[in-house]
Amino acid sequence: MGVTVKLQRAFTAQRPSFRQLTRSKIATQWRSYSTPLPAADGTLPLQGIRVLDMTRVLAGPYCTQILGDLGADVIKVEHPVRGDDTRAWGPPYAKYKDASQKGPGESAYYLAVNRNKKSIGLSFAHKSGVNILHRLVKECDVLVENYLPGSLKKYEMDYETLRQINPSLIYASITGYGQTGPYSNRAGYDVMVEAEMGLMHITGSREGEPVKVGVAVTDLTTGLYTSNAIMAALLARVRTGKGQHIDACLSDCQVATLANIASSALISGQKDSGRWGTEHPSIVPYRNYQTSDGGILFGGGNDRLFGVLCDRLGHPEWKEDPRFLTNSDRVKHRAEIDGLIEDCVRGKTTQKWLEIMEGSGMPYAAVNDIQGTLNHAHVRARGMVTEIDHPTCGPIKLVNTPIKYSHATPGVRTPPPTLGQHTNEILGQVLQLEEKEIAQLKQEGIVS
């Protein structure tokens, strides 16, 4: 009997009748799906939730990494040969500790968004691969995918098909422009959405060209929004016993995160005020000022703070200058006060100004590069850089999860997986396939 037929029969035999499940039984069933990752101590918020991760690159993997950080058991489905696209996005790479191992190592980009996951190398171009995915869907609470709308239907991996297999499934689709609308079939990378949906227009120096943000912030905010939507859908499922389809896209999330800029345009009906660099359109002083060896930002958000800044800069007379008495006055005379502050600040180093401002209550900050940030005393004290042992690269440093709980301890429990690292475990332990069946699937190139 072929593997395809055996998988089909096993799946059919194990499929439950949804109508026979009461609401309480549904809740019990989805809580028992997952095998917790190592070191889970029962306090992680999403422990007991299993996620089928069919995403690649950034927005989707960032979303599922958040779920994994919070305790979910995340199964990352990758192409059996290439894996996630970002495995090839380098340099830099974390080099393999075994010099005989082929390849440059694991890309830093991939390592950034794939911790706390298990990897299965699986081709769903084969019917047997689709059958494996269908069986995994039956064992999962959440599926996250980022294919073009309609792309997965030909593989029978669309929501309408999968809801018949698992009616309590939360199915999240992440796309560039959503499941509907005139752009729905357009592929969308972060930078294109930043450009078309307004962010690039308001980013850059006052007289300069539009520029993209230094990280793919639209991808990241979409991952954040989607992870939040998934958790809300899980809470709703506790009440209703039903899953649902989540339609998340970069364009919608980018428009949403225009925040007060969009609100101002909607309320005033006027054209936006364009790019401001580090300045603020309605608060002065509020920008980066050049020191003798770098830069420092001051944020004088009210008249009292402006007075504090004047005192610490050694120019208390500015507080009494009619041009600068109120924030409105300072906005009108932006060039004059900014020029005075900059002339003053240029006389000392950034570090000296940090020392002068310490304890003042004045919002201020040095302009650090990335190494300066990662080695910052406060960043270290908050545990935002952690080290973990990678199976092929040895000890590697990763950015940690940012949220702290009083009881739970989310964090980096397992390193980003190598391609197909957990294929045997997932097929054997989750789907109960025998070793000879797994060997045949590998021989046929369906899994790796």
Side-chain angles (χ1 to χ4, degrees), residues 101-358:
Q101 193 160 356
K102 295 182 179 180
E106 296 287 329
S107 79
Y109 199 118
Y110 170 82
L111 294 173
V113 288
N114 286 290
R115 62 179 179 247
N116 294 332
K117 301 180 184 180
K118 299 173 182 177
S119 171
I120 177 172
L122 173 66
S123 171
F124 49 90
H126 300 77
K127 183 63 177 176
S128 294
V130 173
N131 288 332
I132 290 172
L133 287 175
H134 281 183
R135 290 190 63 189
L136 285 172
V137 164
K138 182 173 172 287
E139 301 297 326
C140 287
D141 305 288
V142 177
L143 182 149
V144 188
E145 57 89 8
N146 62 351
Y147 290 82
L148 280 172
S151 299
L152 291 178
K153 188 174 181 61
K154 63 182 177 181
Y155 300 109
E156 298 181 298
M157 287 300 295
D158 57 297
Y159 175 64
E160 291 304 319
T161 299
L162 299 189
R163 68 184 297 199
Q164 303 302 315
I165 295 171
N166 182 356
S168 63
L169 181 71
I170 309 299
Y171 186 114
S173 297
I174 300 176
T175 58
Y177 298 93
Q179 302 295 308
T180 60
Y183 280 15
S184 60
N185 289 320
R186 181 187 287 196
Y189 276 117
D190 175 279
V191 66
M192 285 74 177
V193 178
E194 281 193 43
E196 188 137 18
M197 298 301 162
L199 181 60
M200 196 178 292
H201 172 72
I202 59 173
T203 305
S205 61
R206 189 71 178 133
E207 304 301 328
E209 294 295 314
V211 297
K212 70 180 182 69
V213 179
V215 295
V217 67
T218 307
D219 275 328
L220 299 176
T221 54
T222 302
L224 285 162
Y225 266 112
T226 308
S227 65
N228 189 54
I230 289 168
M231 287 185 272
L234 287 169
L235 286 173
R237 193 179 68 171
V238 172
R239 298 194 313 271
T240 66
K242 296 179 181 179
Q244 58 187 302
H245 186 199
I246 295 170
D247 174 6
C249 65
L250 275 65
S251 60
D252 289 353
C253 292
Q254 181 50 70
V255 173
T257 51
L258 291 175
N260 61 296
I261 301 297
S263 182
S264 295
L266 290 170
I267 297 302
S268 69
Q270 297 176 355
K271 184 180 178 180
D272 64 83
S273 56
R275 292 173 289 285
W276 283 91
T278 60
E279 296 182 58
H280 195 287
S282 54
I283 302 174
V284 176
Y286 191 108
R287 51 163 275 196
N288 174 43
Y289 298 92
Q290 292 301 305
T291 66
S292 64
D293 64 348
I296 188 168
L297 276 89
F298 298 129
N302 57 46
D303 296 340
R304 183 188 67 81
L305 290 175
F306 174 67
V308 171
L309 177 63
C310 294
D311 290 339
R312 293 293 174 123
L313 292 178
H315 289 279
E317 71 277 7
W318 293 346
K319 294 184 292 184
E320 309 303 325
D321 191 313
R323 297 172 297 172
F324 312 139
L325 289 177
T326 68
N327 183 67
S328 295
D329 295 326
R330 293 190 294 276
V331 170
K332 292 177 184 177
H333 299 279
R334 180 190 299 268
E336 293 98 314
I337 187 59
D338 278 342
L340 289 170
I341 294 173
E342 186 118 76
D343 288 344
C344 175
V345 168
R346 284 184 186 277
K348 293 182 174 65
T349 65
T350 299
Q351 181 58 40
K352 184 61 178 178
W353 284 118
L354 293 175
E355 294 169 2
I356 290 171
M357 294 294 162
E358 177 66 28

Side-chain angles (χ1 to χ4, degrees), residues 390-427:
H390 189 277
T392 59
C393 300
I396 59 172
K397 291 180 179 179
L398 297 173
V399 172
N400 208 346
T401 185
I403 305 300
K404 280 72 175 173
Y405 288 70
S406 62
H407 183 50
T409 54
V412 184
R413 303 184 306 285
T414 60
T418 57
L419 176 57
Q421 179 181 343
H422 303 95
T423 297
N424 285 9
E425 174 187 337
I426 292 164
L427 296 179

